[in-house]
Amino acid sequence: MKKVMWVLLVSMFLGLLLYTTFNLLSNDKDIVYDDEQEGLNDQIIIKFSYVVAENTPKALTAQKFAELAQEKTNGRVKVEVFPNGILYSDEEEIEAIKNGNVQMIAPASSKVTSIFPELNLLDLPFAFPTYESIDEALTGEIGKSLLKATNTDRLIGFSLWNNGFKQVTSNRGSLTQPEDFQGQYFRVMPGDVIEKQFDLLNVQTSQIPFNLTYLNLENGTITGQENTLSNIYSKKFYEVQDHMTISNHGLLSYVVLMNKDFWNGLPQDIQKSLNEAMEEATDWNLQNALTMNKNALEKIKKKSDIHIHELTREEKESWMKELNPVYEQFEPVIGKELLSKLQSLRKANGMRVSDD
Ligand code: LMR
């Protein structure tokens, strides 16, 4: 009897052991995998390259887009961002996207005006009287026409982003009147309107790459430059310049470009999610760029003793008078219709324009 009991007990024990082992093995469907591992080979990678520092409107918007893209595609898309020109400099990135070595870039719109001349509109001096008018231009009819113009057989214009208004700095005197520019030697970003603007001010220019600007300001090869407060701060230009004029004379906008073959090869649901991510990232950009530049100004004031002058109304009027011929000169390049939309926007935002 004892023997039978023993056999029964051992059989029950073995049965229990088998049952537990079987359950453990068959339950692997419940095991949670690390996101990084799941479908690793199917993950779509978007390389996004740009030249600015991480704490700037463009870089932060790119990071925002990366987060949203990952979230909206449940991790099927990973956007890898490459700031500070670590992959490509200004000129190289345009070749890189055309060749598909990166899938996204967001150059200053001025830097691609040789391919898309209509974008010159965004560099016109004093084109945008208010911050609201920038948003309206970038997301409204003007922006839509400009984006349409950036569609080619190799590129898709995805969105227009804002950095903010440009200011001027110099280590050769304060720049308050147009005459003060005489004899200055400025680093400029490439762009026909920008060149013309400085021609009218009798400034010699050089299209030095963004990431070499500090060095050239420091060693005195150039006397000044124009850029936004967030770029002046994040690249420390204020350290090697004596004067800064808050002039708000021009806009620094970006055109977000996507490689067309890459885009066309994406499944439709991914395209839809990326479009949504871009729309939200663009909204975020437009809401936050102004604050980022304001904060940059405060930090510049705290960290340096650069002399800062805010353009008075009269000074601004004399700059506008000097620079106004650019509008007429670029009408054939930008197109009459687009330019007249801009002039209507300017008037609606309180600007007196020349045909008044
Ligand atoms: C510059 O070259 O100054 C700017 O285009 C940099 C940037 O992308 O904001």
Side-chain angles (χ1 to χ4, degrees):
M1 188 64 188
K2 255 188 182 171
K3 206 173 164 188
V4 176
M5 282 287 283
W6 266 111
V7 171
L8 260 173
L9 271 173
V10 170
S11 317
M12 275 169 70
F13 175 72
L14 283 175
L16 198 67
L17 195 71
L18 263 172
Y19 175 75
T20 318
T21 315
F22 175 77
N23 259 345
L24 272 177
L25 289 174
S26 63
N27 266 356
D28 72 344
K29 64 178 185 300
D30 294 334
I31 292 172
V32 180
Y33 285 102
D34 178 358
D35 274 346
E36 298 274 325
Q37 294 300 314
E38 194 177 2
L40 193 62
N41 293 332
D42 304 329
Q43 201 173 37
I44 298 163
I45 307 286
I46 298 180
K47 288 194 177 133
F48 192 169
S49 168
Y50 41 85
V51 295
V52 288
E54 278 146 331
N55 53 340
T56 55
K58 174 161 60 182
L60 293 170
T61 312
Q63 280 164 29
K64 187 89 197 155
F65 171 69
E67 282 161 31
L68 288 164
Q70 182 136 3
E71 196 181 296
K72 286 180 187 293
T73 61
N74 294 319
R76 281 166 71 200
V77 170
K78 183 168 186 212
V79 181
E80 295 178 345
V81 294
F82 296 93
N84 279 316
I86 50 175
L87 274 192
Y88 298 107
S89 71
D90 324 42
E91 277 173 33
E92 291 165 351
E93 67 178 17
I94 293 158
E95 277 315 298
I97 192 175
K98 282 189 189 161
N99 300 333
N101 294 333
V102 288
Q103 288 69 44
M104 282 179 80
I105 60 171
S109 52
S110 69
K111 290 181 185 167
V112 284
T113 46
S114 55
I115 323 176
F116 312 118
E118 294 87 343
L119 291 181
N120 274 301
L121 173 144
L122 295 168
D123 291 315
L124 288 167
F126 299 101
F128 305 100
T130 59
Y131 290 103
E132 293 71 29
S133 62
I134 302 176
D135 293 10
E136 208 179 321
L138 297 187
T139 57
E141 267 187 66
I142 294 177
K144 288 195 177 83
S145 305
L146 293 177
L147 275 182
K148 209 164 153 200
T150 60
N151 270 315
T152 65
D153 52 339
R154 286 157 93 182
L155 300 172
I156 288 179
F158 209 174
S159 192
L160 293 169
W161 290 352
N162 177 27
N163 181 321
F165 287 124
K166 288 182 286 186
Q167 324 300 345
V168 286
T169 65
S170 164
N171 60 11
R172 196 181 286 171
S174 182
L175 303 167
T176 60
Q177 293 295 334
E179 307 83 81
D180 299 333
F181 284 89
Q182 178 90 40
Q184 298 275 349
Y185 188 7
F186 262 41
R187 177 269 169 177
V188 290
M189 43 192 115
D192 296 339
V193 165
I194 295 176
E195 288 293 348
K196 188 73 217 165
Q197 164 187 286
F198 285 116
D199 254 16
L200 289 166
L201 293 169
N202 295 308
V203 175
Q204 222 189 313
T205 58
S206 178
Q207 295 179 352
I208 293 169
F210 182 56
N211 284 308
L212 294 178
T213 306
Y214 180 95
L215 184 72
N216 282 275
L217 289 171
E218 188 185 32
N219 65 23
T221 327
I222 47 176
T223 61
Q225 61 85 46
E226 59 160 13
N227 225 309
T228 59
L229 290 160
S230 60
N231 279 345
I232 293 170
Y233 173 67
S234 59
K235 286 293 171 191
K236 298 189 165 69
F237 299 160
Y238 65 87
E239 283 183 355
V240 284
Q241 296 279 267
D242 300 329
H243 297 272
M244 176 162 75
T245 303
I246 306 295
S247 51
N248 293 336
H249 65 281
L251 176 69
L252 174 51
S253 56
Y254 302 115
V255 56
V256 187
L257 297 169
M258 173 75 89
N259 177 285
K260 195 169 206 165
D261 284 345
F262 173 78
W263 178 259
N264 289 341
L266 293 175
Q268 267 187 2
D269 63 322
I270 295 281
Q271 288 185 350
K272 185 169 173 280
S273 302
L274 291 180
N275 276 328
E276 283 168 16
M278 182 50 71
E279 214 168 290
E280 280 181 39
T282 301
D283 280 353
W284 186 89
N285 166 265
L286 296 174
Q287 279 166 30
N288 289 283
L290 171 62
T291 316
M292 287 184 241
N293 280 294
K294 271 189 182 161
N295 292 343
L297 178 59
E298 288 319 307
K299 288 180 191 150
I300 293 171
K301 283 180 182 167
K302 259 194 208 135
K303 289 192 172 192
S304 80
D305 51 9
I306 188 169
H307 175 260
I308 300 174
H309 172 76
E310 201 156 330
L311 221 54
T312 64
R313 199 191 163 91
E314 293 72 36
E315 287 162 354
K316 182 176 158 188
E317 270 171 17
S318 55
W319 286 40
M320 284 177 69
K321 199 165 158 225
E322 201 70 24
L323 298 175
N324 215 30
V326 179
Y327 280 79
E328 210 182 309
Q329 280 161 2
F330 278 82
E331 189 188 270
V333 180
I334 293 166
K336 215 176 171 126
E337 204 182 318
L338 255 180
L339 202 56
S340 95
K341 278 185 187 151
L342 175 69
Q343 296 295 33
S344 308
L345 179 75
R346 294 176 86 206
K347 279 188 204 168
N349 281 273
M351 179 78 79
R352 262 194 308 122
V353 301
S354 55
D355 59 2
D356 273 356

